[in-house]
Amino acid sequence: AVVSTQSTGATIYAWLDQLFIFVSILGMIIETLPVIKNKVNDENMSIAGILSTPEGAALFYTELCTTAFFTMDVVVRFATTQHPGTLVCSVMTWIDIMSILPFYIQNCLKISNLSGLRVVRLARVFRMFKLFRRSKKLALIALSLKRSASELLLFVLVWGLGVIVFSVIMYYAEEGRNDDMNSILATCWWAVATMSTVGYGDVYPKTPVGQVLGTIVSFLSMIFLAMPLTIIVSSFSKTYKDSKKGRSRPLNDQGI
């Protein structure tokens, strides 16, 4: 897919695609509002039951129209492509498919299991990623992350190693004196929250040794987080300069 459109028709279609994306996401948000959810409990309703209420009918037809548009988009792409292998291997193609599957699975297979229904509905969030096709800046971010994949993987491994090491040390520093840190798994949660600089405060060290260790981990976490940001910014800067000079290949050619 081409991120930047040139013809008037292509520009109109790109804006229409983005409009359908935002409408579908808006519908997904609205249907979770308590005032709407109490009237449209489609977990236990048939399609006829859903359509019996104005709110349910509006949401159903909104979902139907947006899904029909996205389905047409996928079909047209497969029908007009000259490189079907490249299209099938593209991440964006699978995002397009995942964004329309929930509607067909929910209404054609009649899923009655509540957990299964929630998983299916969760897949609709993939529609947001369709914006990467239309926004050149978003696509550049995705390409930058792909180019930095090996460095980011190394960072994740080092970060995970730090979580485990500090969790073990914290567990033995707090053992028997802190009920919130009664296992290494519990201290792992503390380490994750601390090393990501979130610091929820639900689990924290209470002994002097544990507090000193917590201070050290808090300081090191800032260094840990600065490393990937530097890598991503550097990669994005290079990718952006390449795109300005016209040296970047189409994003779909690179598997995005």
Side-chain angles (χ1 to χ4, degrees), residues 70-80:
F70 297 145
T71 303
M72 178 201 68
D73 182 64
V74 173
V75 171
V76 169
R77 288 182 186 280
F78 274 100
T80 58

Side-chain angles (χ1 to χ4, degrees), residues 24 28 31 42 47 50-51 56-72 96-111 116-127:
S24 66
M28 184 175 65
E31 72 178 21
D42 57 349
I47 293 179
I50 296 172
L51 296 177
L59 290 172
F60 179 82
Y61 285 122
T62 298
E63 182 70 9
L64 178 63
C65 292
T66 55
T67 302
F69 180 85
F70 297 145
T71 303
M72 178 201 68
D96 290 339
I97 294 174
M98 289 296 296
S99 70
I100 62 177
L101 278 181
F103 180 83
Y104 295 112
I105 293 176
Q106 181 178 344
N107 293 285
C108 296
L109 299 183
K110 302 295 183 183
I111 297 177
L117 188 60
R118 286 174 177 170
V119 171
V120 168
R121 287 178 171 177
L122 180 62
R124 289 184 296 176
V125 78
F126 279 98
R127 293 176 182 178

Side-chain angles (χ1 to χ4, degrees), residues 33-200:
L33 296 175
V35 65
I36 301 295
K37 192 174 182 180
N38 293 335
K39 295 181 180 180
V40 188
N41 186 16
D42 57 349
E43 293 164 357
N44 301 313
M45 276 188 183
S46 61
I47 293 179
I50 296 172
L51 296 177
S52 64
T53 62
E55 297 85 356
L59 290 172
F60 179 82
Y61 285 122
T62 298
E63 182 70 9
L64 178 63
C65 292
T66 55
T67 302
F69 180 85
F70 297 145
T71 303
M72 178 201 68
D73 182 64
V74 173
V75 171
V76 169
R77 288 182 186 280
F78 274 100
T80 58
T81 184
Q82 297 179 349
H83 306 284
T86 302
L87 188 62
V88 170
C89 295
S90 172
V91 175
M92 288 305 304
T93 299
W94 289 102
I95 288 177
D96 290 339
I97 294 174
M98 289 296 296
S99 70
I100 62 177
L101 278 181
F103 180 83
Y104 295 112
I105 293 176
Q106 181 178 344
N107 293 285
C108 296
L109 299 183
K110 302 295 183 183
I111 297 177
S112 58
N113 181 272
L114 185 57
S115 299
L117 188 60
R118 286 174 177 170
V119 171
V120 168
R121 287 178 171 177
L122 180 62
R124 289 184 296 176
V125 78
F126 279 98
R127 293 176 182 178
M128 285 297 298
F129 294 104
K130 289 168 66 69
L131 291 173
F132 279 87
R133 174 180 284 118
R134 301 302 177 189
S135 173
K136 188 174 181 179
K137 296 298 186 294
L138 288 176
L140 287 176
I141 292 175
L143 183 55
S144 300
L145 291 174
K146 182 181 179 182
R147 288 181 172 180
S148 308
S150 58
E151 292 85 354
L152 292 175
L153 178 60
L154 177 61
F155 162 76
V156 171
L157 291 175
V158 174
W159 183 82
L161 181 63
V163 167
I164 295 173
V165 169
F166 289 124
S167 297
V168 173
I169 297 175
M170 181 61 75
Y171 169 71
Y172 287 109
E174 297 286 305
E175 185 180 16
R177 287 166 285 184
N178 190 340
D179 294 336
D180 294 329
M181 295 186 174
N182 55 7
S183 68
I184 293 180
L185 190 61
T187 54
C188 272
W189 168 245
W190 166 83
V192 168
T194 303
M195 293 188 66
S196 60
T197 68
V198 176
Y200 289 113

